[in-house]
Amino acid sequence: RIGHGVMGSPKLKETVQWFRDTLGFICSDDVYVESQDNLIGSFNRCDRGDEYVDHHVFFCLRHEQAGLNHFSFEVHDVDDVFSGHQRLEELGKYEHMWGIGRHLLGSQVYDYWADPWGRVHERWADTDRLNARSGSNLLPAHEALGSQWGGPPPEKFIKRICP
């Protein structure tokens, strides 16, 4: 299933507010650099009241251009993440972008690949689940955007925005 989408926007606060006001998303985690009013990203989830939902269905990051960073697809389990990685590597047709690792926020085991048209797709398993009572957090980027294990995101991944 499609799990979440990530987009870049030069107007981060306005974009996130539109998604919250229009689609009813609620904040899971906002991410800042240097000062708490310098937001660089926002993880948002569906508001289903007491029902538990994925940590995020939408992440927006501040970027000089607006567009898609990636779509994510949930796979069956961690074995599927690893076997899919191996299969895509064997095919030799796709660019590996980042992974395999485990995100700190959301806790997904992830693997990122670019398709032949340059769009990035994440294959993941095992996410945190929250409900409306779980609240939200404001975290510095160095605590929020790292990996529990696996390497840091490469520049080619961070900078990738497809119009």
Side-chain angles (χ1 to χ4, degrees):
R1 74 177 172 101
I2 294 176
H4 62 262
V6 175
M7 68 178 289
S9 174
K11 297 181 178 183
L12 173 70
K13 289 181 184 180
E14 295 89 339
T15 302
V16 169
Q17 197 60 53
W18 184 89
F19 276 86
R20 290 177 183 171
D21 292 346
T22 307
L23 300 178
F25 290 168
I26 56 177
C27 179
S28 293
D29 298 292
D30 279 342
V31 180
Y32 68 90
V33 171
E34 295 171 1
S35 67
Q36 292 184 352
D37 62 343
N38 186 25
L39 291 183
I40 64 158
S42 181
F43 291 90
N44 295 266
R45 66 185 182 274
C46 294
D47 183 356
R48 296 277 178 92
D50 289 337
E51 182 182 339
Y52 284 87
V53 298
D54 290 352
H55 173 266
H56 62 283
V57 295
F58 173 65
F59 177 65
C60 191
L61 62 105
R62 189 174 66 208
H63 198 281
E64 59 270 2
Q65 88 182 65
L68 176 69
N69 174 266
H70 73 271
F71 277 118
S72 80
F73 297 89
E74 182 181 22
V75 298
H76 184 70
D77 58 20
V78 173
D79 289 335
D80 197 359
V81 175
F82 278 86
S83 62
H85 175 94
Q86 183 177 345
R87 178 66 178 141
L88 290 169
E89 202 170 53
E90 288 169 0
L91 289 172
K93 297 179 181 181
Y94 307 99
E95 179 184 6
H96 186 245
M97 298 296 289
W98 183 30
I100 297 173
R102 182 181 284 278
H103 289 302
L104 289 175
L105 296 182
S107 300
Q108 301 93 337
V109 174
Y110 63 83
D111 192 28
Y112 294 88
W113 292 81
D115 66 23
W117 301 274
R119 293 179 302 245
V120 176
H121 304 273
E122 174 187 15
R123 300 175 69 258
W124 63 269
D126 189 27
T127 190
D128 291 338
R129 311 258 302 153
L130 309 171
N131 64 18
R133 291 180 287 138
S134 299
S136 60
N137 298 298
L138 177 62
L139 301 163
H142 70 273
E143 290 180 21
L145 300 179
S147 294
Q148 183 178 13
W149 49 267
E155 282 293 310
K156 70 179 183 177
F157 174 76
I158 295 170
K159 300 281 185 190
R160 182 72 58 108
I161 297 292
C162 297

